[in-house]
């Protein structure tokens, strides 16, 4: 009976990890896909864009379950991604205010630059430097 309970706990744990990693990858992929779709002039509908995010999240969740990636690292990546998006946004806003340049609200280039910098910062901090944020 202990083996059956351990098997059920293992299955439930893996299923929870799978669903949490899907949610995490949706959070990671949604800004990039939706902004990319907007920059390209909305070549696909919003529902197709959301489907693409779902497929990317589902496919990206496999390495978390297989053991190559850690659910904790994904959480750290999400945290650093949004913290660096806020930080780079503040840096960009300060630079725009200090230079006196006016930027149209419909121009997506500054927003894209902030997100690219945030994705690169999060990747470098979490995966290249392997800095642990929560330990």
């Amino acid at each position: 009976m202990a083996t059956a309970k351990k098997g059920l706990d293992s299955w439930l744990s893996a299923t929870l990890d799978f669903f949490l990693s899907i949610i995490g990858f949706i959070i990671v992929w949604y800004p990039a896909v939706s902004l990319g779709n907007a920059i390209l002039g909305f070549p696909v509908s919003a529902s197709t864009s959301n489907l693409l995010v779902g497929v990317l999240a589902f496919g990206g969740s496999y390495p978390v379950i297989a053991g190559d990636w850690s659910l904790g690292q994904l959480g750290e990546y999400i945290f650093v991604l949004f913290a660096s998006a806020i930080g780079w946004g503040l840096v960009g806003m300060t630079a725009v205010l200090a230079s006196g340049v006016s930027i149209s609200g419909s121009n997506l280039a500054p927003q894209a630059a902030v997100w690219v910098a945030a994705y690169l910062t999060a990747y470098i901090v979490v995966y290249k430097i392997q800095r642990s944020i929560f330990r």
Side-chain angles (χ1 to χ4, degrees), residues 76-78 80-81 84 117-127:
E76 288 178 345
Y77 183 83
I78 292 168
V80 173
L81 175 67
S84 60
Y119 278 105
L120 287 174
T121 301
Y123 174 74
I124 290 169
V125 168
V126 175
Y127 292 107

Side-chain angles (χ1 to χ4, degrees), residues 38-65:
I39 288 173
L40 294 174
F42 297 101
V44 297
S45 67
S47 61
T48 305
S49 177
N50 291 340
L51 178 64
L52 178 62
V53 169
V55 168
L56 289 170
F58 186 84
S61 297
Y62 177 75
V64 174
I65 302 307

